[in-house]
Coordinates of all heavy atoms in Angstrom, one line a residue:
K273 N 86.5 105.8 93.6 CA 87.9 105.9 93.2 C 88.8 105.1 94.3 O 89.6 104.3 93.9 CB 88.3 107.4 93.2 CG 89.8 107.7 93.0 CD 90.1 109.1 93.0 CE 91.5 109.5 93.4 NZ 91.8 110.8 93.4
G274 N 88.6 105.4 95.5 CA 89.4 104.7 96.6 C 89.2 103.2 96.7 O 90.1 102.5 96.7
L275 N 87.9 102.8 96.7 CA 87.6 101.4 96.9 C 88.1 100.6 95.7 O 88.7 99.5 95.8 CB 86.1 101.2 97.1 CG 85.7 99.8 97.5 CD1 86.4 99.3 98.7 CD2 84.2 99.8 97.6
M276 N 87.9 101.1 94.5 CA 88.3 100.5 93.3 C 89.9 100.4 93.2 O 90.5 99.4 92.8 CB 87.8 101.2 92.0 CG 88.1 100.4 90.8 SD 87.4 98.8 90.8 CE 86.5 98.9 89.3
G277 N 90.5 101.5 93.7 CA 92.0 101.5 93.7 C 92.5 100.4 94.7 O 93.5 99.8 94.4
F278 N 91.9 100.3 95.8 CA 92.2 99.3 96.8 C 92.1 97.9 96.1 O 93.0 97.0 96.2 CB 91.4 99.3 98.0 CG 91.9 100.2 99.1 CD1 91.5 101.5 99.1 CD2 92.7 99.7 100.1 CE1 91.9 102.4 100.1 CE2 93.1 100.5 101.1 CZ 92.8 101.9 101.1
A279 N 91.0 97.7 95.5 CA 90.7 96.4 94.8 C 91.8 96.0 93.8 O 92.3 94.9 93.7 CB 89.3 96.3 94.2
I280 N 92.1 97.0 93.0 CA 93.1 96.8 91.9 C 94.5 96.6 92.5 O 95.2 95.7 92.1 CB 93.1 97.9 90.9 CG1 91.8 97.9 90.1 CG2 94.3 97.8 89.9 CD1 91.5 99.1 89.3
A281 N 94.8 97.4 93.5 CA 96.2 97.4 94.1 C 96.4 96.1 94.8 O 97.5 95.6 94.8 CB 96.3 98.6 95.0
F282 N 95.4 95.5 95.4 CA 95.6 94.3 96.1 C 95.7 93.0 95.2 O 95.8 91.9 95.7 CB 94.5 94.1 97.2 CG 94.8 95.0 98.4 CD1 94.3 96.3 98.4 CD2 95.5 94.5 99.5 CE1 94.5 97.1 99.5 CE2 95.8 95.3 100.6 CZ 95.3 96.6 100.6
Q283 N 95.6 93.2 93.9 CA 95.8 92.1 93.0 C 97.3 92.0 92.6 O 97.7 91.1 91.8 CB 95.0 92.4 91.7 CG 93.5 92.4 92.0 CD 93.0 91.1 92.6 OE1 93.4 90.0 92.2 NE2 92.2 91.2 93.6
M284 N 98.2 92.9 93.2 CA 99.6 92.9 92.9 C 100.3 91.5 93.0 O 101.0 91.1 92.1 CB 100.3 93.9 93.7 CG 101.8 94.0 93.4 SD 102.7 95.2 94.4 CE 102.3 94.7 96.0
P285 N 100.1 90.8 94.1 CA 100.8 89.5 94.2 C 100.4 88.5 93.1 O 101.3 87.8 92.6 CB 100.3 88.9 95.6 CG 99.9 90.1 96.3 CD 99.4 91.1 95.3
M286 N 99.2 88.5 92.7 CA 98.7 87.7 91.6 C 99.4 88.1 90.3 O 99.9 87.2 89.5 CB 97.2 87.7 91.5 CG 96.7 86.6 90.7 SD 97.2 85.1 91.7 CE 96.0 84.0 91.1
A287 N 99.5 89.3 90.0 CA 100.2 89.8 88.8 C 101.6 89.4 88.8 O 102.2 89.0 87.8 CB 100.0 91.3 88.6
V288 N 102.3 89.6 90.0 CA 103.7 89.2 90.1 C 103.9 87.7 89.9 O 104.8 87.3 89.2 CB 104.2 89.7 91.5 CG1 105.6 89.1 91.7 CG2 104.3 91.2 91.5
L289 N 103.0 86.9 90.4 CA 103.2 85.5 90.3 C 103.0 85.1 88.8 O 103.7 84.2 88.3 CB 102.1 84.8 91.1 CG 102.5 84.7 92.6 CD1 101.4 84.0 93.4 CD2 103.8 84.0 92.8
V290 N 102.1 85.7 88.1 CA 101.9 85.4 86.7 C 103.1 85.8 85.9 O 103.6 85.0 85.1 CB 100.6 86.1 86.1 CG1 100.6 86.0 84.6 CG2 99.4 85.5 86.7
L291 N 103.7 86.9 86.2 CA 104.9 87.3 85.5 C 106.1 86.4 85.8 O 106.9 86.1 84.9 CB 105.3 88.8 85.9 CG 104.3 89.8 85.3 CD1 104.6 91.2 85.9 CD2 104.3 89.9 83.8
V292 N 106.2 86.0 87.0 CA 107.3 85.0 87.4 C 107.1 83.7 86.7 O 108.0 83.1 86.2 CB 107.4 84.9 88.9 CG1 108.3 83.7 89.3 CG2 107.9 86.2 89.6
W293 N 105.8 83.2 86.7 CA 105.5 81.9 86.1 C 105.8 82.0 84.6 O 106.2 81.0 84.1 CB 104.0 81.6 86.4 CG 103.6 80.3 85.9 CD1 104.0 79.1 86.5 CD2 102.8 80.0 84.8 NE1 103.4 78.0 85.8 CE2 102.7 78.6 84.7 CE3 102.2 80.7 83.8 CZ2 102.0 77.9 83.7 CZ3 101.5 80.1 82.8 CH2 101.4 78.7 82.8
L294 N 105.5 83.1 84.0 CA 105.8 83.3 82.6 C 107.3 83.5 82.3 O 107.7 83.7 81.1 CB 105.0 84.4 81.9 CG 103.5 84.1 81.9 CD1 102.8 85.4 81.5 CD2 103.2 83.0 81.0
D295 N 108.1 83.6 83.4 CA 109.5 83.8 83.3 C 109.9 85.2 82.7 O 110.9 85.4 82.1 CB 110.2 82.7 82.5 CG 111.7 82.5 82.9 OD1 112.0 82.9 84.1 OD2 112.5 82.0 82.1
L296 N 109.0 86.2 83.0 CA 109.2 87.6 82.6 C 109.8 88.4 83.7 O 110.2 89.5 83.5 CB 107.9 88.2 82.1 CG 107.3 87.5 80.9 CD1 106.0 88.1 80.6 CD2 108.2 87.7 79.7
L297 N 109.8 87.8 85.0 CA 110.2 88.6 86.1 C 110.9 87.6 87.1 O 110.5 86.4 87.2 CB 109.0 89.2 86.8 CG 109.2 90.1 88.0 CD1 110.1 91.3 87.6 CD2 107.9 90.6 88.6
Q298 N 111.9 88.0 87.8 CA 112.7 87.2 88.7 C 112.6 87.8 90.1 O 112.5 89.0 90.2 CB 114.1 87.1 88.3 CG 114.3 86.4 87.0 CD 113.8 85.0 87.0 OE1 114.0 84.2 87.9 NE2 113.2 84.6 85.9
P299 N 112.6 87.0 91.1 CA 112.6 87.5 92.5 C 113.7 88.4 92.8 O 113.6 89.4 93.5 CB 112.6 86.2 93.4 CG 112.3 85.1 92.5 CD 112.6 85.5 91.1
E300 N 114.9 88.2 92.2 CA 116.0 89.0 92.4 C 115.8 90.5 91.9 O 116.2 91.4 92.5 CB 117.3 88.5 91.7 CG 117.7 87.1 92.3 CD 116.9 85.9 91.8 OE1 116.3 86.0 90.7 OE2 117.0 84.9 92.4
T301 N 115.0 90.5 90.8 CA 114.7 91.9 90.3 C 113.7 92.6 91.2 O 113.9 93.8 91.5 CB 114.0 91.7 88.9 OG1 114.8 90.9 88.1 CG2 113.7 93.0 88.3
L302 N 112.8 91.9 91.8 CA 111.9 92.5 92.8 C 112.7 93.0 94.0 O 112.4 94.1 94.5 CB 110.8 91.5 93.2 CG 109.8 91.1 92.2 CD1 109.0 89.9 92.7 CD2 108.9 92.2 91.8
Q303 N 113.7 92.2 94.4 CA 114.5 92.7 95.6 C 115.4 93.9 95.2 O 115.5 94.8 96.0 CB 115.4 91.5 96.0 CG 114.6 90.4 96.7 CD 115.5 89.3 97.1 OE1 116.3 88.8 96.2 NE2 115.5 88.9 98.4
K304 N 115.9 93.8 94.0 CA 116.8 94.9 93.6 C 116.1 96.2 93.5 O 116.7 97.3 93.9 CB 117.4 94.5 92.2 CG 118.3 95.6 91.6 CD 118.9 95.1 90.3 CE 119.8 96.2 89.7 NZ 120.2 95.8 88.4
Y305 N 114.9 96.2 93.0 CA 114.1 97.5 92.9 C 113.1 97.7 94.0 O 112.2 98.5 93.8 CB 113.4 97.4 91.5 CG 114.4 97.5 90.4 CD1 114.7 96.4 89.6 CD2 115.0 98.7 90.1 CE1 115.6 96.4 88.6 CE2 115.9 98.8 89.0 CZ 116.2 97.6 88.3 OH 117.1 97.7 87.3
R306 N 113.4 97.2 95.2 CA 112.5 97.4 96.3 C 112.3 98.8 96.7 O 111.2 99.3 97.0 CB 113.1 96.6 97.5 CG 112.2 96.7 98.8 CD 112.8 95.9 99.9 NE 112.5 94.5 99.8 CZ 113.4 93.5 99.9 NH1 114.6 93.8 100.1 NH2 113.0 92.3 99.8
R307 N 113.4 99.6 96.7 CA 113.3 101.0 97.0 C 112.4 101.8 96.1 O 111.6 102.6 96.5 CB 114.7 101.7 97.0 CG 115.6 101.2 98.1 CD 116.9 101.9 98.0 NE 117.8 101.4 99.0 CZ 119.0 101.8 99.2 NH1 119.5 102.7 98.4 NH2 119.8 101.2 100.1
F308 N 112.4 101.5 94.8 CA 111.6 102.1 93.8 C 110.1 101.7 94.0 O 109.2 102.5 93.9 CB 112.0 101.8 92.4 CG 113.3 102.3 92.0 CD1 114.4 101.5 91.9 CD2 113.5 103.7 91.8 CE1 115.7 102.0 91.6 CE2 114.8 104.2 91.5 CZ 115.8 103.3 91.4
A309 N 109.9 100.4 94.4 CA 108.6 99.9 94.7 C 108.0 100.6 95.9 O 106.8 101.0 95.9 CB 108.7 98.4 95.0
I310 N 108.8 100.9 96.9 CA 108.3 101.6 98.1 C 107.8 103.0 97.7 O 106.8 103.4 98.1 CB 109.4 101.6 99.2 CG1 109.6 100.2 99.7 CG2 109.0 102.6 100.3 CD1 110.8 100.1 100.7
V311 N 108.6 103.7 96.9 CA 108.2 105.0 96.4 C 106.9 104.9 95.6 O 106.0 105.7 95.8 CB 109.4 105.7 95.7 CG1 108.9 107.0 95.0 CG2 110.5 106.0 96.6
G312 N 106.9 104.0 94.7 CA 105.7 103.8 93.9 C 104.4 103.5 94.7 O 103.4 104.0 94.5
I313 N 104.6 102.6 95.7 CA 103.5 102.3 96.6 C 103.0 103.6 97.4 O 101.8 103.8 97.5 CB 103.9 101.2 97.6 CG1 104.0 99.9 96.9 CG2 103.0 101.1 98.8 CD1 104.7 98.7 97.7
A314 N 104.0 104.4 97.8 CA 103.6 105.6 98.5 C 102.8 106.6 97.6 O 101.8 107.2 98.0 CB 104.8 106.3 99.1
V315 N 103.3 106.7 96.4 CA 102.6 107.5 95.4 C 101.2 107.0 95.1 O 100.2 107.8 95.1 CB 103.4 107.6 94.1 CG1 102.6 108.3 93.0 CG2 104.7 108.4 94.4
V316 N 101.1 105.7 94.9 CA 99.8 105.1 94.6 C 98.8 105.3 95.8 O 97.7 105.7 95.6 CB 99.9 103.6 94.3 CG1 98.6 102.9 94.3 CG2 100.6 103.5 92.9
A317 N 99.4 105.1 97.0 CA 98.5 105.3 98.2 C 98.1 106.8 98.4 O 97.0 107.0 98.8 CB 99.3 104.8 99.4
A318 N 99.0 107.7 98.0 CA 98.6 109.1 98.2 C 97.6 109.5 97.1 O 96.7 110.3 97.5 CB 99.9 110.0 98.0
V319 N 97.6 109.0 96.0 CA 96.7 109.3 94.9 C 95.3 108.7 95.1 O 94.3 109.3 94.9 CB 97.3 108.9 93.5 CG1 96.2 109.0 92.4 CG2 98.5 109.7 93.2
L320 N 95.3 107.5 95.6 CA 94.1 106.7 95.7 C 93.3 106.9 97.0 O 92.2 106.4 97.2 CB 94.3 105.2 95.5 CG 94.8 104.8 94.1 CD1 95.0 103.3 94.1 CD2 93.8 105.2 93.1
T321 N 93.9 107.6 98.0 CA 93.2 107.8 99.3 C 92.9 109.3 99.5 O 93.4 110.1 98.8 CB 94.1 107.3 100.4 OG1 95.3 108.0 100.4 CG2 94.4 105.8 100.3
P322 N 92.0 109.5 100.4 CA 91.7 110.9 100.8 C 93.0 111.6 101.3 O 93.9 110.9 101.8 CB 90.7 110.8 101.9 CG 90.1 109.5 101.8 CD 91.1 108.6 101.2
P323 N 93.1 112.9 101.3 CA 94.3 113.6 101.6 C 94.6 113.6 103.1 O 94.7 114.7 103.7 CB 94.2 115.0 101.1 CG 92.7 115.2 101.1 CD 92.1 113.8 100.8
D324 N 94.8 112.5 103.8 CA 95.2 112.5 105.2 C 96.2 111.3 105.3 O 96.1 110.3 104.7 CB 94.0 112.4 106.1 CG 93.3 111.0 106.1 OD1 92.6 110.8 105.1 OD2 93.5 110.2 107.0
P325 N 97.2 111.5 106.2 CA 98.2 110.5 106.4 C 97.7 109.1 106.9 O 98.3 108.1 106.5 CB 99.2 111.1 107.4 CG 98.9 112.6 107.4 CD 97.4 112.7 107.0
A326 N 96.7 109.1 107.7 CA 96.2 107.9 108.2 C 95.7 107.0 107.1 O 96.0 105.8 107.0 CB 95.1 108.1 109.3
S327 N 94.9 107.6 106.2 CA 94.4 106.8 105.1 C 95.5 106.3 104.1 O 95.5 105.2 103.7 CB 93.4 107.6 104.2 OG 92.3 107.9 105.0
M328 N 96.5 107.2 103.9 CA 97.6 106.8 103.1 C 98.3 105.6 103.7 O 98.7 104.6 103.0 CB 98.5 108.0 102.9 CG 99.7 107.7 102.0 SD 100.8 109.1 101.9 CE 102.2 108.3 101.2
M329 N 98.6 105.6 105.0 CA 99.3 104.6 105.6 C 98.5 103.3 105.7 O 99.0 102.2 105.6 CB 99.7 105.0 107.1 CG 100.8 106.1 107.1 SD 102.2 105.7 106.1 CE 102.9 104.4 107.1
M330 N 97.2 103.4 105.8 CA 96.3 102.2 105.8 C 96.3 101.5 104.5 O 96.0 100.3 104.4 CB 94.9 102.6 106.2 CG 94.7 102.9 107.6 SD 93.1 103.5 108.2 CE 91.9 102.8 107.1
M331 N 96.7 102.2 103.4 CA 96.8 101.6 102.1 C 98.3 101.2 101.8 O 98.5 100.1 101.3 CB 96.3 102.5 101.0 CG 96.4 101.8 99.7 SD 95.5 102.7 98.4 CE 95.3 101.5 97.1
A332 N 99.2 102.0 102.2 CA 100.6 101.8 101.9 C 101.2 100.6 102.6 O 101.9 99.8 102.0 CB 101.4 103.0 102.2
V333 N 100.9 100.5 103.9 CA 101.5 99.4 104.7 C 101.0 98.0 104.2 O 101.9 97.1 103.9 CB 101.2 99.5 106.2 CG1 101.6 98.3 107.0 CG2 101.9 100.8 106.7
P334 N 99.8 97.8 104.0 CA 99.4 96.5 103.4 C 99.9 96.2 102.0 O 100.3 95.1 101.7 CB 97.8 96.5 103.3 CG 97.5 97.5 104.3 CD 98.6 98.5 104.4
L335 N 100.0 97.3 101.2 CA 100.6 97.1 99.9 C 102.1 96.7 99.9 O 102.6 95.9 99.2 CB 100.5 98.4 99.0 CG 99.1 98.6 98.4 CD1 99.1 100.0 97.7 CD2 98.7 97.5 97.5
Y336 N 102.8 97.3 100.9 CA 104.2 96.9 101.0 C 104.3 95.5 101.5 O 105.2 94.7 101.0 CB 104.9 97.9 102.0 CG 106.4 97.4 102.3 CD1 107.3 97.5 101.2 CD2 106.7 96.9 103.5 CE1 108.6 97.1 101.4 CE2 108.0 96.4 103.7 CZ 109.0 96.6 102.6 OH 110.2 96.1 102.8
L337 N 103.5 95.1 102.5 CA 103.5 93.7 102.9 C 103.2 92.8 101.8 O 103.8 91.7 101.7 CB 102.5 93.5 104.1 CG 102.9 94.3 105.4 CD1 101.8 94.1 106.4 CD2 104.2 93.7 105.9
L338 N 102.2 93.1 100.9 CA 101.9 92.3 99.8 C 103.1 92.2 98.8 O 103.3 91.2 98.2 CB 100.7 92.8 99.1 CG 99.3 92.6 99.8 CD1 98.2 93.3 99.1 CD2 99.0 91.1 99.8
Y339 N 103.8 93.3 98.7 CA 105.0 93.3 97.8 C 106.0 92.3 98.4 O 106.6 91.5 97.6 CB 105.6 94.7 97.8 CG 106.8 94.8 96.8 CD1 106.6 94.9 95.5 CD2 108.1 94.7 97.3 CE1 107.7 95.0 94.6 CE2 109.2 94.8 96.5 CZ 109.0 94.9 95.1 OH 110.0 95.0 94.2
E340 N 106.2 92.3 99.7 CA 107.2 91.3 100.3 C 106.7 89.9 100.1 O 107.5 89.0 99.9 CB 107.4 91.7 101.7 CG 108.2 93.0 101.9 CD 109.6 93.0 101.4 OE1 110.2 91.9 101.3 OE2 110.0 94.1 100.9
I341 N 105.4 89.7 100.3 CA 104.8 88.4 100.1 C 105.0 87.9 98.7 O 105.3 86.7 98.4 CB 103.3 88.4 100.6 CG1 103.2 88.5 102.1 CG2 102.6 87.1 100.1 CD1 101.9 88.8 102.6
S342 N 104.9 88.9 97.8 CA 105.0 88.5 96.3 C 106.5 88.0 96.1 O 106.7 87.1 95.3 CB 104.8 89.8 95.5 OG 103.5 90.2 95.6
I343 N 107.4 88.6 96.7 CA 108.8 88.2 96.6 C 109.0 86.8 97.1 O 109.6 85.9 96.4 CB 109.8 89.2 97.3 CG1 109.8 90.5 96.6 CG2 111.2 88.6 97.3 CD1 110.6 91.6 97.4
L344 N 108.4 86.5 98.3 CA 108.5 85.2 98.8 C 107.8 84.1 97.9 O 108.4 83.0 97.7 CB 107.9 85.1 100.2 CG 108.6 85.9 101.3 CD1 107.8 85.9 102.6 CD2 110.0 85.4 101.5
L345 N 106.6 84.4 97.4 CA 105.9 83.5 96.5 C 106.7 83.3 95.2 O 106.7 82.2 94.7 CB 104.5 84.0 96.3 CG 103.6 84.0 97.5 CD1 102.2 84.6 97.2 CD2 103.4 82.6 98.0
A346 N 107.3 84.4 94.7 CA 108.1 84.3 93.5 C 109.3 83.4 93.7 O 109.6 82.5 92.8 CB 108.5 85.7 93.1
R347 N 109.9 83.5 94.8 CA 111.0 82.5 95.1 C 110.5 81.1 95.2 O 111.2 80.2 94.7 CB 111.6 82.8 96.5 CG 112.5 84.0 96.5 CD 113.2 84.1 97.8 NE 113.8 85.4 98.0 CZ 113.9 86.0 99.1 NH1 113.5 85.5 100.2 NH2 114.5 87.2 99.2
L348 N 109.3 80.9 95.7 CA 108.7 79.5 95.8 C 108.5 79.0 94.4 O 108.8 77.8 94.1 CB 107.5 79.6 96.6 CG 106.7 78.3 96.8 CD1 107.6 77.3 97.7 CD2 105.4 78.5 97.4
V349 N 108.0 79.8 93.5 CA 107.7 79.4 92.1 C 109.0 79.0 91.5 O 109.1 78.0 90.8 CB 107.0 80.5 91.3 CG1 107.0 80.2 89.8 CG2 105.6 80.7 91.8
V350 N 110.1 79.8 91.6 CA 111.4 79.5 91.0 C 112.0 78.2 91.6 O 112.5 77.4 90.8 CB 112.3 80.7 91.2 CG1 113.8 80.4 90.8 CG2 111.9 81.9 90.4
V351 N 111.9 78.0 92.9 CA 112.4 76.8 93.5 C 111.7 75.6 93.0 O 112.3 74.6 92.6 CB 112.4 76.9 95.0 CG1 112.6 75.6 95.7 CG2 113.4 77.9 95.5
R352 N 110.4 75.7 92.9 CA 109.6 74.5 92.4 C 109.9 74.2 90.9 O 110.0 73.1 90.5 CB 108.1 74.8 92.6 CG 107.7 74.6 94.0 CD 106.2 74.7 94.2 NE 105.9 74.4 95.6 CZ 104.6 74.3 96.0 NH1 103.6 74.4 95.1 NH2 104.4 74.1 97.3
R353 N 110.1 75.3 90.2 CA 110.4 75.1 88.8 C 111.8 74.4 88.6 O 112.0 73.5 87.8 CB 110.5 76.5 88.0 CG 110.8 76.3 86.6 CD 110.8 77.6 85.8 NE 109.4 78.2 85.8 CZ 109.1 79.4 85.7 NH1 110.1 80.3 85.7 NH2 107.9 79.8 85.7
K354 N 112.8 74.8 89.4 CA 114.1 74.2 89.4 C 114.0 72.7 89.8 O 114.7 71.9 89.2 CB 115.1 75.0 90.3 CG 115.5 76.3 89.7 CD 116.5 77.0 90.6 CE 116.9 78.3 90.0 NZ 117.8 79.1 90.9
R355 N 113.2 72.4 90.8 CA 113.1 71.0 91.3 C 112.4 70.2 90.2 O 112.8 69.1 90.0 CB 112.2 71.0 92.5 CG 112.9 71.4 93.8 CD 112.1 71.1 95.0 NE 112.7 71.7 96.2 CZ 112.0 72.0 97.3 NH1 110.7 71.7 97.4 NH2 112.7 72.5 98.3
A356 N 111.4 70.7 89.5 CA 110.8 70.0 88.5 C 111.7 69.7 87.3 O 111.7 68.7 86.7 CB 109.5 70.8 88.0
A357 N 112.5 70.7 87.0 CA 113.5 70.6 85.9 C 114.6 69.5 86.3 O 115.0 68.8 85.4 CB 114.1 71.9 85.6
A358 N 115.0 69.5 87.5 CA 116.0 68.6 88.0 C 115.4 67.1 88.0 O 116.2 66.2 87.7 CB 116.5 68.9 89.3
A359 N 114.2 67.0 88.3 CA 113.5 65.7 88.3 C 113.2 65.1 87.0 O 113.1 63.9 86.8 CB 112.2 65.8 89.1
A360 N 113.1 66.0 86.0 CA 112.8 65.5 84.6 C 114.0 65.0 83.9 O 115.1 65.1 84.1 CB 112.1 66.7 83.8

């Protein structure tokens, strides 16, 4: 349960990038709902790890960092798309 949960959860940046690339999600939306994402990450970490705070934090902190990296990568995709549209 735990290892598979980690594996699935760490695919979040890729899923976010696909949604941004398909123009179904915007970086601004990710920023706007950051608080909800933090709560969701905490819940996922609590469910997928053994019942101790250290394990939960070992999953929650990297997931939050991946969320922030997803925002940065989403911005990069949007900027590149705008540059390509301006060049065409």
Side-chain angles (χ1 to χ4, degrees):
K273 172 181 156 181
L275 188 58
M276 186 63 125
F278 272 89
I280 292 170
F282 282 89
Q283 298 302 315
M284 179 180 57
M286 199 59 160
V288 168
L289 283 178
V290 168
L291 292 173
V292 170
W293 186 74
L294 293 172
D295 208 20
L296 298 173
L297 185 62
Q298 297 298 319
E300 296 80 20
T301 306
L302 293 169
Q303 289 176 307
K304 180 179 177 183
Y305 292 105
R306 181 180 279 133
R307 291 181 184 178
F308 296 107
I310 292 170
V311 172
I313 287 169
V315 169
V316 167
V319 169
L320 294 179
T321 59
D324 67 284
S327 295
M328 181 182 163
M329 292 306 291
M330 285 175 33
M331 184 171 195
V333 170
L335 282 177
Y336 176 70
L337 293 174
L338 286 171
Y339 184 80
E340 292 297 329
I341 290 169
S342 296
I343 293 173
L344 294 173
L345 293 175
R347 283 189 197 146
L348 182 66
V349 168
V350 169
V351 166
R352 286 189 176 186
R353 181 180 291 153
K354 286 181 183 178
R355 283 185 190 163

